[in-house]
């Protein structure tokens, strides 16, 4: 496999360097392809024989996806997106996967952390879509896949206001986009996994709450639920990738795609319960994995 330069390059030139397009080769862009679900998805499209652009913000740190072209792309940066994607369209499939998770109380979470989740998870997808959409719309075909979470369908748990908020916003944008693009033949799908075995929690998703915080014990309790839930229920990122490839082969995929048994259960509970009933059932699920809810330490400020 020849080394491809990490700079704007037309897909035709990229395909030529890879030995040319196959008859059914799709042009695929995956963001956040350096790790986890994004890497597994890029690998799966490569294995299916597609021309894959694996976009990541630090290719030296993350390393290439064999068989894919590497593109340096920070979805939270306007100019990075416009420069990196200039001249690359049209894509057949665009997977907006790049995402970050930062938990914390609404009252005290670092606002830069709160905002960064919207910049990456929501505005990052918006930036990429706006950069790639016109040629897809003009051609009247293509698929936008936005990687959300089951938490984008369910009410928000404590300490996840901004992660889930960014994914709820991603859901709203995807629904509107589906409406707007239906007449043009461009498909839109949302992937809504439950726990997936990646390093997202180790990458800043959980920072120890300051010991002096009045929220510290409760936040640690919710964290324990997530760690135990991931250990008990996490599916492989390849399973999410397989779902994305299945959708990419469908003429008219549904919009919503929960992935994993816990995601299916989460969507069903959110659909059937009013918030107050959902809240009680969510607390019970946390208690089942993390023990009784701790009382707040009201001596702390
Ligand atoms: N793991 C789960 O349980 C789970 C469940 C539901 C949904 N999801 C969603 O799945 C997606 C992928 O997450 P993952 O679980 O595979 O975790 P991951 O391994 O941490 O992958 C996230 C990827 O996004 C990249 N990224 C972060 N900020 C970026 C930016 N500004 N520009 C470009 N790339 C950026 C990261 O690159 P760096 O290496 O440079 O940080 C990383 O490769 C996310 O959208 C996440 O919300 C995950």
């Amino acid at each position: 496999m020849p080394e491809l330069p990490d700079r704007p390059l037309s897909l035709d030139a990229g395909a030529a360097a890879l030995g040319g397009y196959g008859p059914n080769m799709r042009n695929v862009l995956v963001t956040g392809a350096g790790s986890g679900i994004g890497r597994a998805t890029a690998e799966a499209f490569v294995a299916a024989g597609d021309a894959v652009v694996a976009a990541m913000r630090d290719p030296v740190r993350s390393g290439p996806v064999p068989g894919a072209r590497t593109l340096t792309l920070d979805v939270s940066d306007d100019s990075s997106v416009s420069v990196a994607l200039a001249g690359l369209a049209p894509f057949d499939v665009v997977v907006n996967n790049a995402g970050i998770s930062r938990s914390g109380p609404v009252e005290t979470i670092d606002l830069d952390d709160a905002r960064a989740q919207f910049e990456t998870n929501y505005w990052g997808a918006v930036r990429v879509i706006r950069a790639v959409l016109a040629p897809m719309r003009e051609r009247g075909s293509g698929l936008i896949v936005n990687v959300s979470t089951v938490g984008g369908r369910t009410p928000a748990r404590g300490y996840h206001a901004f992660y889930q908020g960014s994914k709820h916003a991603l859901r709203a944008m995807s629904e509107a986009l589906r409406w707007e693009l239906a007449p043009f033949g461009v498909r839109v799908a949302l992937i809504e996994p439950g726990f997936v075995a990646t390093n997202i929690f180790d990458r800043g998703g959980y920072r120890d709450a300051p010991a002096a915080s009045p929220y510290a014990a409760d936040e640690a309790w919710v964290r324990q639920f997530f760690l135990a839930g991931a250990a008990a229920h996490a599916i492989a990122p390849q399973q999410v990738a397989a779902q994305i490839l299945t959708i990419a082969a469908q003429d008219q995929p549904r919009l919503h795609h929960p992935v994993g048994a816990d995601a299916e259960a989460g969507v069903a509970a959110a659909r059937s319960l009013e918030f107050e009933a959902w809240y009680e059932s969510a607390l019970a699920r946390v208690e089942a994995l993390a023990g009784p809810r701790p009382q707040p330490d009201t001596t702390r400020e």
Side-chain angles (χ1 to χ4, degrees):
M1 180 63 58
E3 278 285 320
L4 293 176
D6 179 23
R7 60 178 165 70
L9 173 80
S10 81
L11 271 180
D12 289 340
L18 288 165
Y21 292 124
N24 300 312
M25 199 181 235
R26 297 165 295 192
N27 301 325
V28 180
L29 172 68
V30 182
T31 69
S35 63
I37 294 168
R39 176 169 288 267
T41 302
E43 288 171 347
F45 276 111
V46 168
D50 295 311
V52 178
V53 175
M56 52 191 90
R57 58 181 167 176
D58 188 344
V60 173
R61 172 168 50 80
S62 300
V65 174
R69 185 190 154 207
T70 301
L71 187 73
T72 302
L73 177 67
D74 182 340
V75 301
S76 68
D77 182 312
D78 288 347
S79 64
S80 171
V81 172
S82 57
V83 169
L85 295 177
L88 282 183
F91 288 102
D92 299 296
V93 182
V94 174
V95 182
N96 286 302
N97 162 79
I100 58 171
S101 166
R102 305 272 186 272
S103 64
V106 173
E107 183 183 342
T108 57
I109 188 173
D110 185 311
L111 274 185
D112 287 341
D113 278 346
R115 288 194 187 103
Q117 296 176 85
F118 276 84
E119 279 303 327
T120 305
N121 303 349
Y122 177 70
W123 289 110
V126 172
R127 281 184 192 93
V128 170
I129 288 166
R130 288 168 62 103
V132 300
L133 192 52
M136 297 170 83
R137 177 177 45 70
E138 285 160 9
R139 218 171 42 167
S141 65
L143 171 68
I144 306 279
V145 178
N146 293 330
V147 179
S148 182
T149 162
V150 64
R153 294 285 290 286
T154 69
R157 285 197 160 78
Y159 315 106
H160 290 78
F162 302 99
Y163 179 68
Q164 286 190 246
S166 69
K167 297 293 192 175
H168 275 249
L170 182 64
R171 171 174 74 149
M173 184 268 283
S174 304
E175 290 164 350
L177 193 64
R178 185 170 169 113
W179 176 305
E180 292 162 12
L181 292 179
F184 297 101
V186 179
R187 299 159 291 154
V188 181
L190 262 176
I191 302 294
E192 297 157 327
F195 290 114
V196 184
T198 72
N199 291 327
I200 195 164
F201 289 150
D202 303 332
R203 293 163 167 252
Y206 283 109
R207 298 185 179 172
D208 285 339
S213 165
Y215 298 102
D218 200 56
E219 188 176 0
W221 177 65
V222 174
R223 176 185 321 165
Q224 180 55 33
F225 160 74
F226 274 95
L227 295 175
H233 301 295
I235 59 173
Q238 287 76 15
Q239 194 171 327
V240 184
Q243 178 73 30
I244 293 172
L245 262 79
T246 298
I247 292 164
Q250 294 172 343
D251 286 338
Q252 294 187 313
R254 296 169 58 85
L255 178 68
H256 292 289
H257 299 270
V259 190
D262 58 330
E264 301 270 4
V267 169
R271 195 182 284 136
S272 64
L273 300 173
E274 292 295 330
F275 177 79
E276 284 69 23
W278 174 87
Y279 173 68
E280 293 303 329
S281 76
L283 288 180
R285 282 200 297 281
V286 179
E287 286 190 338
L289 286 177
R293 186 174 193 179
Q295 293 297 312
D297 182 347
T298 51
T299 62
R300 296 176 175 177
E301 294 181 353

